[in-house]
Each structure stands twice: as structure tokens, then as C-alpha cells.
Amino acid sequence: MQKLLSIFWIPYCIYAFAVFVGGLFLVTPGIIIAMLLGQPLGGNLVIHLSRIWSHLWFALIGIWHVNIWEEPLDRKRHFVFVANHISYLDIPLIFQALRHTNIRVLGKYEMAKIPVFGILYRLAVVLVDRSSPERRARSVAMLKEVLAHNRSIFIFPEGTFNETGAPLKSFYDGAFRIAIETNTAIKPIVFLDAKTRMHYASIWRLRPGKSRAVILKEVPTEGLTMEDLPLLKKRVYDLMESTIIDYNNRDAQQR
């Protein structure tokens, strides 16, 4: 049975990645324009192109996405968005979940070295280079500058893929420190099906099917100080963890 499935999945994955790469080349003229525009206009253009690319890619490879909103999003405000991180699909999922939101994403410096994709990546994200405290501090300063210009930021507080088997890994302080220092509310997001659609173990474990994001109620930071950081982090962690467990239990009952 496993061999029979592999006969189907391998061509499907090859097709999906061919479409992925083809899409990058299609948006190359837009990337060139974005490079000429610089920040912030160039970054805004790349975010828009990324949304178009993610919608087309998901449609062509048979992944349909649904957002579940626990409360309406006030698009006149900016937020610190945080989400669980468990799949290579998490990046395109950001643009599926936040379809009409002006954002900048905190991304790994290493990803910017990928040909073609790296150019788009540099324009769309705030790169974090953990090789020195000075470079980390520079990334934090850039994120604060984004918020100061009424644009939202997006951070994976787990830092890397959650390979523990638990609903979430422990969170780093960064997102919560920035939220407190800039008096910006946190908006948690839970990606429910990313691991099923593409397991973190291999890019060859891509599968078509449903994708869901639960956008939770905002967690305010008004009046908080650095002494409140551990409690804020725990509150967001518990909220996201309980949501993952709840939906996993519902899915199990429906099987």
C-alpha cells in the first residue's frame, strides 16, 4: 500500500514544487520593481505579490484554506501577530491568514541566501541574524520601527519547528518584549493543519486537503511592564495551546 501511495505522491510533490518555482519566476518583474522602489513601498509590493502567489499556489496544488475568526480584526490598528511553527507551509499560510493586513515578518537570515526566493524574502521580512547581540538588537529595532509606522509584525515565538510532539514548544521572549515596549496588542494565530499538509520532516510529505487558521482574540499589553512579561507570555501560550488541543479533540471525534 505504501509503495502504491508513493507512486502518486512523488509526482504530486514534483508538480507542486515546479509550480512553486514557476510562480517565483512569474513575479520576478514585480520583484525588480520592488527593489527599485525600496522600503516601504517595495516591501508592500512584495507582500501583495506574496499573497497572490500563495493563493494561486494553494489553488493549483489542491489546498483550500479557511480562516476562523474569534473576533473581527480592526484593520485600522496594528498588532504583534504570533503563531505556532510546525511546517514549511507556515510562510504561505501567513498570507492566507492575513489577506488584507499590512505586515512585516521576522525571518531567518539563512533563508535570504536561496536564489530568486531570497530576493523576495529580503524585501518582505525583517531578517534576524543571531550571530551577535548587536545584529539581534538591530532586528528588534527594525521591528519597532515597523510598528511605529502603523504596520503589524509577525513572529513565530517558538523560533524553530516544533518537533516535540507537544502542541507547542516553549516561547522566546522577543515578541512579548516588543509588544510591551511598544504598547501593542498581541494577536495569536493557530495553524491547525500545516503539519498534516506538509510534515516538517520532509518537503516530500506535501499533501492536498484543507487548511485552517484560527485567529484568536487579541491580548492587550496596555499598562504592562517588563515584570509582566512572563505572565503575558504564559497567557498567550495557554490560549494557543488550549485552542490546538480543543480543535484536535473535535477532529478526532469527527473521524
Side-chain angles (χ1 to χ4, degrees):
M1 183 64 178
Q2 192 67 28
K3 290 183 178 179
L4 182 62
L5 287 174
S6 66
I7 293 173
F8 169 75
W9 292 126
I10 291 176
Y12 168 76
C13 289
I14 293 173
Y15 159 76
F17 296 125
V19 174
F20 179 92
V21 174
L24 290 179
F25 282 104
L26 283 175
V27 299
T28 297
I31 295 174
I32 295 172
I33 295 172
M35 291 173 64
L36 295 173
L37 289 173
Q39 294 287 8
L41 293 178
N44 293 342
L45 176 58
V46 169
I47 293 294
H48 184 64
L49 290 172
S50 298
R51 287 196 179 98
I52 295 173
W53 158 76
S54 68
H55 292 326
L56 289 175
W57 188 53
F58 272 25
L60 290 171
I61 66 175
I63 295 178
W64 58 92
H65 182 82
V66 176
N67 287 326
I68 304 167
W69 295 88
E70 290 201 345
E71 68 178 4
L73 181 66
D74 186 351
R75 304 192 188 282
K76 295 180 181 179
R77 299 170 55 205
H78 57 276
F79 298 91
V80 174
F81 290 98
V82 297
N84 55 320
H85 195 19
I86 201 165
S87 170
Y88 289 104
L89 279 185
D90 290 342
I91 296 298
L93 282 173
I94 294 172
F95 303 110
Q96 293 287 323
L98 301 174
R99 293 169 178 167
H100 306 286
T101 305
N102 194 355
I103 60 169
R104 291 295 186 273
V105 182
L106 182 66
K108 298 176 184 176
Y109 180 80
E110 295 75 13
M111 294 288 287
K113 299 177 182 178
I114 301 174
V116 182
F117 176 79
I119 300 173
L120 184 149
Y121 191 80
R122 284 177 178 273
L123 288 166
V125 308
V126 174
L127 297 176
V128 56
D129 185 351
R130 296 186 175 93
S131 61
S132 71
E134 293 79 10
R135 292 183 178 181
R136 287 197 299 271
R138 193 179 307 148
S139 300
V140 171
M142 291 175 65
L143 289 171
K144 289 181 179 178
E145 184 178 349
V146 170
L147 290 169
H149 286 83
N150 202 33
R151 292 192 297 269
S152 296
I153 63 173
F154 189 106
I155 299 176
F156 292 111
E158 295 167 291
T160 56
F161 287 157
N162 174 19
E163 302 178 24
T164 65
L168 293 170
K169 280 174 57 178
S170 58
F171 286 173
Y172 287 98
D173 289 348
F176 309 95
R177 183 180 299 275
I178 291 171
I180 290 174
E181 289 179 348
T182 60
N183 194 26
T184 306
I186 294 175
K187 195 77 168 172
I189 299 175
V190 169
F191 297 138
L192 294 172
D193 308 294
K195 182 179 176 182
T196 303
R197 300 282 67 79
M198 181 188 277
H199 197 282
Y200 55 76
S202 172
I203 60 174
W204 297 103
R205 295 179 68 173
L206 179 65
R207 301 291 185 269
K210 69 179 179 180
S211 167
R212 295 167 294 171
V214 183
I215 298 89
L216 305 175
K217 294 181 180 179
E218 68 177 79
V219 179
T221 60
E222 187 175 358
L224 299 185
T225 67
M226 285 303 126
E227 293 182 356
D228 301 306
L229 192 151
L231 289 176
L232 174 65
K233 185 168 67 171
K234 185 178 186 304
R235 181 180 175 187
V236 174
Y237 184 99
D238 290 347
L239 184 61
M240 292 173 64
E241 182 185 49
S242 63
T243 301
I244 293 171
I245 293 173
D246 180 43
Y247 274 89
N248 285 345
N249 289 337
R250 293 188 205 179
D251 292 343
Q253 291 174 1
Q254 293 175 1
R255 292 190 187 110

